Amino acid sequence: MAEVIWGLATSHVPSIGAAMDHKKTEDPYWKPLFDGYAPAREWMAEHRPDVAVIVYNDHANSIGLDLVPTFGIGTAESYDVADEGWGRRAVPRVVGAPELSEHLVVELMDDSFDIATFHQLDVDHGLTVPLSVYCPEPGDAWPCAVVPILVNVIQYPQPTAARCYALGQALGRAIRSFPKDIRVAVFGTGGMSHQLSGARAGLINTEFDRMFLQAIETEPEKLAALTREDYIRDAGTEGIELIMWLVMRGALSDSIRRVHDTYHVPASNTAAALALFEDLGASGAVSR
Ligand code: DHB
Ligand code: FE
């Protein structure tokens, strides 16, 4: 059977990808952020999954605002990197895992999640930047296949944090019921606090972020109980992306170990963070 081996929470700020693409990671502005990633990247390189299930949001690059599904899943053989207005990032196209996708669609439907299905999808920075955070130098191909899971965080009314956490729990059950012996990592992307426009543009709330970074491990129910208005007030209009971390957290078992985390302000307009959790599963065994 398939197993979930780890969960990664990471910001997806586009300029983090651009810094890697344009070899600026040693520049004084970027070095502290990338130094903070290093221990997680080392550990993930030693614990490669076969498939990454990446919970992310499209930013009106691939999916127009006239039709925004609350939850979606990609079922394609592969996904092109989206052109967000300045050409496609020079990173490999994303290879899908259609058999696992189809399994997840059916299991989630049967578990009362009426998820939209994308047979064709271009993936924007919400997905490609987390892949680069995981694997900075993919060469010609990413080291794993990908199942994209989409969450609407950009158009009111976004799903509740509680519903996202429940989706994650259903997703974890669905992954573990896949009858092939594959290793799966789950990514929760976006956040932390940021607001890109309006009177509060530039908002950063370190106190809220620090609370969230701790509670995502130990008290996810507390975060699931917050309303969308709580997220937008405390973390900003784009900070509500943090509800996608709860999907990842829900997919992990009760027994997890924090491998590494890092928090850095600012990356562009955002409080950027990474948190990596090993899923110890039913056995509770730690792998090093
Ligand atoms: C930024 C952050 C985001 O989450 C995003 O989707 C786009 C831009 C930023 O901080 O620049
Ligand atoms: Fe975003």
Side-chain angles (χ1 to χ4, degrees):
M1 302 298 269
E3 59 171 336
V4 177
I5 58 169
W6 47 262
L8 175 71
T10 174
S11 304
H12 63 214
V13 178
S15 52
I16 294 176
M20 284 184 255
D21 299 346
H22 300 290
K23 311 260 179 284
K24 296 198 172 194
T25 57
E26 291 296 313
D27 285 11
Y29 181 85
W30 288 110
K31 191 173 174 353
L33 174 90
F34 288 101
D35 284 353
Y37 288 169
R41 282 173 154 174
E42 248 171 63
W43 190 91
M44 291 186 288
E46 288 164 9
H47 300 82
R48 291 269 192 235
D50 301 299
V51 182
V53 173
I54 303 186
V55 182
Y56 86 108
N57 70 290
D58 180 77
H59 300 73
N61 288 308
S62 191
I63 306 168
L65 290 177
D66 48 354
L67 203 173
V68 181
T70 300
F71 296 125
I73 179 167
T75 56
E77 294 276 348
S78 67
Y79 306 90
D80 279 335
V81 174
D83 183 343
E84 303 186 34
W86 47 89
R88 297 176 199 277
R89 288 187 66 204
V91 292
R93 76 200 307 249
V94 174
V95 172
E99 206 185 329
L100 177 61
S101 289
E102 295 291 352
H103 172 83
L104 297 180
V105 172
V106 175
E107 292 296 310
L108 289 172
M109 279 296 177
D110 289 352
D111 215 346
S112 303
F113 283 90
D114 307 324
I115 193 163
T117 306
F118 286 81
H119 302 294
Q120 195 278 326
L121 177 70
D122 289 357
V123 287
D124 78 0
H125 65 269
L127 186 139
T128 64
V129 169
L131 268 180
S132 294
V133 170
Y134 163 49
C135 178
E137 286 178 23
D140 292 340
W142 296 109
C144 59
V146 170
V147 173
I149 303 259
L150 293 128
V151 178
N152 165 39
V153 294
I154 65 172
Q155 185 162 278
Y156 181 87
Q158 299 89 341
T160 62
R163 189 68 175 151
C164 289
Y165 187 51
L167 172 66
Q169 291 171 319
L171 179 65
R173 287 192 290 274
I175 294 169
R176 289 183 202 96
S177 71
F178 187 61
K180 290 198 171 163
D181 290 336
I182 57 166
R183 290 150 56 92
V184 177
V186 181
F187 290 30
T189 71
M192 297 196 92
S193 58
H194 63 302
Q195 172 149 340
L196 300 179
S197 60
R200 298 198 309 157
L203 174 144
I204 301 283
N205 184 346
T206 298
E207 197 183 325
F208 177 85
D209 291 340
R210 292 277 181 205
M211 179 283 292
F212 193 98
L213 253 182
Q214 180 54 40
I216 193 72
E217 176 186 0
T218 52
E219 295 175 282
E221 296 82 6
K222 176 172 123 180
L223 303 178
L226 300 177
T227 65
R228 73 173 68 79
E229 290 76 16
D230 290 333
Y231 277 96
I232 290 172
R233 185 191 59 242
D234 290 344
T237 44
E238 278 72 32
I240 195 176
E241 289 175 345
L242 283 169
I243 61 176
M244 297 185 289
W245 290 28
L246 279 168
V247 182
M248 176 280 290
R249 181 64 183 87
L252 302 182
S253 73
D254 291 339
S255 178
I256 63 170
R257 175 179 77 92
R258 187 182 294 251
V259 177
H260 179 68
D261 64 29
T262 186
Y263 180 75
H264 177 79
V265 180
S268 184
N269 299 294
T270 298
L274 170 154
L276 175 62
F277 300 99
E278 178 176 14
D279 193 328
L280 307 176
S283 73
V286 178
S287 74
R288 285 193 189 271

